[in-house]
Amino acid sequence: MGTLPAVADPGRIDELAGVLDAAIPDAMASAAVPGLAIGLCDASGPLWSAGYGTTRRDGDVPIATDTRFSVQSTSKLATATAVLLAVEAGLLHLDAPIATAVPDFAVHSVFEEDPGARITLRHLLGHTAGFTHETANGSNHDVGDGDFDAHCRSIFATWLRFPVGHHFEYSNLGIDLAGYALRQAVGRPFADAARELLLEPLGMARATFDAAVVAADPGRAVGHWRPFAAAGRELPVAVPMVASGGLYTSVDDALALVAMLLRDGAPLLAAELAAEQRRIVTPHPGQQLGYGLGLYADEWAPGVQVFHHGGSGFGFQAQLFWVPALEVGAVILTNSFDHNLQNELARRIVAALAPDRGPAAPPFPAGGRVDRDDVAGEYVGRNEDRAAVTVVAGGLRIDGAPAAAARYRFLPGRAGAGTYMVDLRNGDVRYRNDAARTPPSTLDPARAGTYTMSSWGVPTAEYELAQDGASPALRRVGSDVALRLAPIGTGLYLSSTGEVLDLRAATPTYANVALD
């Protein structure tokens, strides 16, 4: 959709609402979004909300402002807030080892002895514990038949991707384990604990983590995703990743949560803990943006700080945000996966309210030098975002172009200097992926070949596993990134991005996802 016109008076929400109301139907049609709910609020509560389209494609039930949508990973914000309320009540402790709440917790690591004794709630809520994103018992690829407790206990069998507290890496498992700690502390299901601590006190009667309540709601929004539509299948409602992605809510109820966050947590959460929630967890020197406790601290317009959390998956896309400087927040909920309308609308709302802020000062010098040339090599992020780093006469180049050396920090790891490339603006990390730095090893030829990764039985990607020079490598078909593999045990390999390839069973797994 195009740029929204700036509103004449940022205080007049009705003007912005009129602009949105005129733009949304065409934007939905262009993105083939069946249903959408949107709302605006300030610290006093909801100011405007509206529903568009229908609960299912080609259906006749209209979206209303009390229609339940899955918000997917936006659930992490609600879970983190509920956990902080438990901290305030003395039920949990933010900086105590998680083993105090889950005494038998353990996890595998090649980086340190007994990492479970060091992981705290702060690590879990801030995605700095070192966890991978999925577990074998309940994931975004296979919900399985386990419940939330079984899913959380399967985390104990996973491998950490990096040392505890080293850096930020987004993970479902940390938030789920935090929710499990809450469940253990109160002695009741997590959905009940979240309702009692957060949802009921805020009057969020249409919000729930209980999948049985959602499944019994005939008016709920139904998720849509093209591969499932092509296969003639509906997406699942109940998922074991309850704390990290199981919340369903209406737009009006979600706005009540945003309004509370605009009030610095009042009346439920102490202002000190609300401030702690917004603070970036273990920032690197010079880092300006990043992840707090269950939320992102970002900048969507020059000089305008935004706190937000989006959600994406199981046929839904959502975005929730608030801007303290503008004293406004918003929620956008959709029942389709195949678009980015929720983020486009969110950013255009901020731009419409803050059109004259002017350009922000460059966060880092335009030039710069690096003192070492052994950081040169290929670095790969979690979404295979690749960077080729070279050093010429002390100057840093990325993909052949001059780069601000002051923006990046290169940290050592098991493989030596320059193992992790940190973007100091937001804390994002890429991992060194050079064949010359990977220990030599030989892949069993019987395990080489092409494998299929599926989501609930629907194929979504293919991977090639092969010996590539002195070491094995795993490559997604269609990608030019071959992830180097180093052995860490019989049939076990650690990829350059810290994920584990497990060849010990007939069906291999990579990052705990089956490769058939």
Side-chain angles (χ1 to χ4, degrees):
M1 63 179 293
T3 301
L4 296 176
V7 298
D9 177 2
R12 290 187 59 193
I13 293 295
D14 58 342
E15 184 178 354
L16 177 57
V19 171
L20 290 167
D21 190 60
I24 286 172
D26 287 343
M28 290 176 62
S30 296
V33 175
L36 181 148
I38 186 170
L40 302 168
C41 71
D42 64 10
S44 68
L47 299 172
W48 168 80
S49 59
Y52 302 85
T54 55
T55 58
R56 103 174 32 238
R57 196 180 303 281
D58 300 324
D60 57 5
V61 178
I63 297 292
T65 61
D66 66 349
T67 299
R68 285 188 173 113
F69 286 77
S70 169
V71 298
Q72 294 296 298
S73 284
T74 308
S75 307
K76 294 177 173 65
L77 173 62
T79 293
T81 306
V83 168
L84 289 174
L85 287 167
V87 169
E88 184 172 345
L91 297 171
L92 293 169
H93 302 281
L94 196 55
D95 292 307
I98 193 63
T100 60
V102 186
D104 58 342
F105 172 69
V107 68
H108 299 299
S109 176
V110 299
F111 305 101
E112 55 197 309
E113 294 291 331
D114 196 15
R118 293 188 53 217
I119 295 173
T120 67
L121 272 180
R122 190 185 300 275
H123 290 128
L124 300 180
L125 297 178
H127 301 291
T128 60
F131 284 116
T132 183
H133 192 56
E134 309 282 15
T135 181
N137 190 339
S139 74
N140 283 287
H141 297 270
D142 184 1
V143 296
D145 55 6
D147 59 12
F148 178 61
D149 286 6
H151 163 69
C152 289
R153 297 193 67 80
S154 72
I155 297 172
F156 299 10
T158 64
W159 290 79
L160 296 188
R161 294 181 61 184
F162 52 85
V164 175
H166 188 273
H167 64 264
F168 163 84
E169 190 68 70
Y170 190 79
S171 166
N172 278 343
L173 303 192
I175 301 293
D176 280 334
L177 188 56
Y180 185 66
L182 175 59
R183 180 251 185 280
Q184 296 294 92
V186 301
R188 294 188 301 284
F190 169 76
D192 292 345
R195 185 187 71 247
E196 294 163 9
L197 285 165
L198 178 67
L199 305 181
E200 282 185 349
L202 285 179
M204 298 173 65
R206 297 289 291 165
T208 182
F209 281 95
D210 190 333
V213 172
V214 175
D217 180 1
R220 65 178 172 85
V222 175
H224 298 77
W225 186 29
R226 288 192 189 110
F228 270 70
R233 296 175 56 189
E234 288 202 352
L235 290 150
V237 173
V239 298
M241 304 84 71
V242 178
S244 65
L247 179 66
Y248 274 71
T249 182
S250 69
V251 67
D252 284 344
D253 278 3
L255 287 169
L257 174 60
V258 178
M260 185 198 82
L261 296 167
L262 276 167
R263 296 190 301 267
D264 289 336
L268 299 183
L269 187 64
E272 295 81 8
L273 276 175
E276 197 74 10
Q277 185 173 21
R278 296 190 299 269
R279 187 174 296 120
I280 298 169
V281 178
T282 58
H284 296 279
Q287 183 179 341
Q288 301 170 353
L289 310 173
Y291 203 90
L293 301 177
L295 57 82
Y296 286 94
D298 216 332
E299 187 178 84
W300 288 352
V304 180
Q305 188 178 45
V306 178
F307 297 104
H308 68 98
H309 211 304
S312 178
F314 290 88
F316 292 89
Q317 300 263 30
Q319 184 58 264
L320 176 156
F321 71 91
W322 67 104
V323 188
L326 301 176
E327 299 179 340
V328 69
V331 175
I332 303 107
L333 310 177
T334 77
N335 62 345
S336 173
F337 182 76
D338 307 298
H339 66 91
N340 194 40
L341 184 56
Q342 79 288 351
N343 290 325
E344 294 172 5
L345 280 169
R347 289 176 179 269
R348 281 160 175 75
I349 289 170
V350 173
L353 291 171
D356 300 319
R357 292 278 169 153
F364 299 97
R369 297 176 62 82
V370 290
D371 297 328
R372 329 170 45 110
D373 59 9
D374 57 0
V375 302
E378 178 182 73
Y379 295 79
V380 179
R382 68 186 298 264
N383 294 316
E384 295 190 2
D385 44 322
R386 178 180 175 274
V389 175
T390 55
V391 180
V392 180
L396 183 69
R397 293 178 177 269
I398 297 179
D399 296 331
R407 178 170 175 168
Y408 299 97
R409 186 181 184 199
F410 294 87
L411 302 177
R414 295 176 72 236
T419 299
Y420 305 99
M421 175 184 175
V422 183
D423 185 333
L424 296 180
R425 184 171 185 270
N426 57 18
D428 283 351
V429 172
R430 292 186 178 98
Y431 302 78
R432 190 72 168 266
N433 188 44
D434 297 346
R437 292 163 57 95
T438 305
S441 63
T442 302
L443 176 71
D444 179 355
R447 304 316 300 263
T450 301
Y451 294 85
T452 299
M453 183 176 287
S454 300
S455 293
W456 317 292
V458 177
T460 54
E462 285 190 322
Y463 285 83
E464 291 178 346
L465 175 62
Q467 187 74 24
D468 186 2
S471 63
L474 184 69
R475 183 181 68 87
R476 181 173 53 82
V477 174
S479 170
D480 60 355
V481 175
L483 296 174
R484 313 308 307 184
L485 299 170
I488 58 172
T490 302
L492 287 172
Y493 292 85
L494 191 73
S495 81
S496 51
T497 60
E499 301 286 14
V500 168
L501 174 69
D502 189 343
L503 300 177
R504 293 175 298 179
T507 299
T509 62
Y510 179 66
N512 299 312
V513 180
L515 297 176
D516 295 315

